[in-house]
Amino acid sequence: MASTIPSLFSLSGKTAIVTGGTRGIGQAMAIGLAEAGADIILVQRDESNTKTRDEIVNRIGRKAIIHVAELSDRAAVKEIIPSVVKQGWKPDILVNCAGIQRRHPSEKFPDEDWDDVINVNLTSVFTLSREFGAYLLSRDASEFPTGRRGSVINVASLLSFQGGFTVPAYAASKGGIAQLTKALSNEWMAKGINVNAIAPGYIDTDMNAALINDPNRYHSITSRIPAGRWGKPEDFKGVVIFLASDASAYVSGEIITVDGGWMGR
């Protein structure tokens, strides 16, 4: 029995594609997946930041490469799966973590910022998930003796449930991620592809710098979090490994909040 539980969470022999893996939550997720045994394909807009790849290769000892693609470019996103497959990779896991933020009062929100946020945070997630799902479904069923072909893990937000302030595009994109996760799960779970999402709460990352640097907002938010602190990127290692592994074989269409208890208050 002792060896059964670790094997449920093992990702040995698996390959994960991770967007947004250069820093913050995405970086912690990529490293966590590698620590659980997976090889990693990091989708980045350029190769200037090699920190995540280098840590995976040098410290953890897993394979890792950087695939360059601009997520706001639909054609580039569509080429990610064919390109890595042509190189001999067989991805089993897709983590859609990349995201951008724009803040303006809604009555002044610029068209270009709306388009940028929706394209990166929602459209690219659908496009890459569609291509990944099609790839998994094209493979012979004999390659998957347990019936599980792979898993898609999207990164949602508390704003999948709440509206926020001065971030209408971000809220719309993350509400869309929640519904996209459910829609894809409805079609793909019976075909062996689990689709879930992780909704981070208030996390100490660069994306939240505006809130962290506003003393009033920072203390107001912190006082409402039952855990009494903001989250850290490392808080996401366990949940992403769970959703990527056989431990979550009967879990799909879920949005798991990692928020220090915020949504329960």
Side-chain angles (χ1 to χ4, degrees), residues 137-203:
L137 294 173
S138 73
R139 291 170 59 180
D140 193 276
S142 64
E143 295 185 60
F144 309 98
T146 67
R148 186 174 187 176
R149 291 175 178 265
S151 57
V152 176
I153 303 165
N154 297 322
V155 175
S157 167
L158 292 185
L159 298 195
S160 297
F161 312 102
Q162 302 173 334
F165 290 91
T166 69
V167 288
Y170 189 83
S173 72
K174 293 303 183 178
I177 287 294
Q179 295 306 104
L180 176 63
T181 297
K182 296 172 186 177
L184 296 180
S185 174
N186 289 343
E187 293 190 55
W188 291 350
M189 179 58 173
K191 299 175 181 178
I193 305 172
N194 299 58
V195 187
N196 292 287
I198 299 168
Y202 287 93
I203 313 301

Side-chain angles (χ1 to χ4, degrees), residues 16 37 40 46 52 78 134 148 178 180 202:
I40 308 295
D46 58 49
T52 306
K78 289 173 70 174
R148 186 174 187 176
L180 176 63
Y202 287 93

